[in-house]
Amino acid sequence: MPITEVILMKRIPLKMVRTNLLDIPQYPLPAGFRIRLFEKGDEHHWARVETSVDEFTSEKEALVHFNKEFGPYIDEMTKRCVFIENEQGQVIGTTTAWYGDLTGDEEIAGRIHWVGVVPAYQGKKLAKPLLSAAMNILADYHATAYLTSQTTSYQAINMYLNFGFKPFITGPSCQEAWSLLEEVLNRKIVGYL
């Protein structure tokens, strides 16, 4: 598919689920990088990374969201939020091994949440080690995991598929979403739940 069609791809929200947290793919970090857990006061690092990947229009807006979503759970963040640092100790990536209610039946599942790598570091083989680290944490607390994304994040969707996540169908738009992704990714996507 020509790149212009990919850029213009319809944005459709979607969910993915991994029905177990066994046999998590493991990827080492490239030399010069390290993974560490969130420490109290790291909110500004999270806000900077998430703003850099266009999740927020400003770091101030990101901090407001962080404080609303995670502020009451800072102690849990120290066990569940993962950062990647470069050789200079600068945080350049993050994700959170969080939790939530996938189906609305109040059964809590693990959740891969807020994955982001600063654009200057994208394509440097950091996302897979970041995801491995977060999923290892989830496996300590949960039997299953899910995530939310959108069709425009097709490269991330491809990685999630390779990590054993499968489509979770929540409505009619999901069929269109996964059909688009099969075309863009040039792969058959099976396991619709």
Side-chain angles (χ1 to χ4, degrees), residues 24-69:
I24 296 167
Q26 300 298 311
Y27 291 90
L29 277 171
F33 295 93
R34 80 175 189 111
I35 287 181
R36 72 167 177 89
L37 290 171
F38 178 95
E39 297 171 2
K40 292 177 183 175
D42 278 340
E43 296 87 337
H44 65 285
H45 293 308
W46 185 92
R48 183 178 45 76
V49 171
E50 294 300 340
T51 301
S52 79
V53 295
D54 298 326
E55 290 291 344
F56 300 97
T57 57
S58 70
E59 288 183 35
K60 182 178 178 183
E61 179 189 352
L63 281 170
V64 167
H65 184 90
F66 180 96
N67 289 326
K68 181 180 175 187
E69 185 171 5

Side-chain angles (χ1 to χ4, degrees), residues 5-14 53-55 114 148-154 173-174 176-177 180-181:
E5 290 182 62
V6 173
I7 292 171
L8 299 174
M9 182 165 49
K10 185 175 181 179
R11 185 184 193 279
I12 304 171
L14 53 84
V53 295
D54 298 326
E55 290 291 344
W114 293 107
T148 59
S149 192
Q150 56 281 327
T151 50
T152 51
S153 296
Y154 58 89
S173 65
C174 293
E176 179 185 4
L180 281 170
L181 287 164

Side-chain angles (χ1 to χ4, degrees), residues 125-143:
K125 302 193 182 295
L126 300 173
K128 288 178 183 176
L130 183 64
L131 187 57
S132 290
M135 289 185 67
N136 290 338
I137 292 169
L138 284 181
D140 289 339
Y141 297 99
H142 307 282

Side-chain angles (χ1 to χ4, degrees), residues 16 18 25 27 84 94-95 112 114-117 123 125-135 147 149 153-166 178 181 185 187 189:
M16 299 179 77
R18 194 172 199 269
Y27 291 90
I84 294 180
T94 187
T95 193
I112 295 296
W114 293 107
V115 180
V117 175
K125 302 193 182 295
L126 300 173
K128 288 178 183 176
L130 183 64
L131 187 57
S132 290
M135 289 185 67
L147 57 88
S149 192
S153 296
Y154 58 89
Q155 291 171 312
I157 299 293
N158 198 46
M159 178 179 68
Y160 301 143
L161 289 166
N162 291 339
F163 267 77
F165 284 89
K166 295 186 182 326
W178 291 107
L181 287 164
L185 298 174
R187 72 184 278 182
I189 300 172

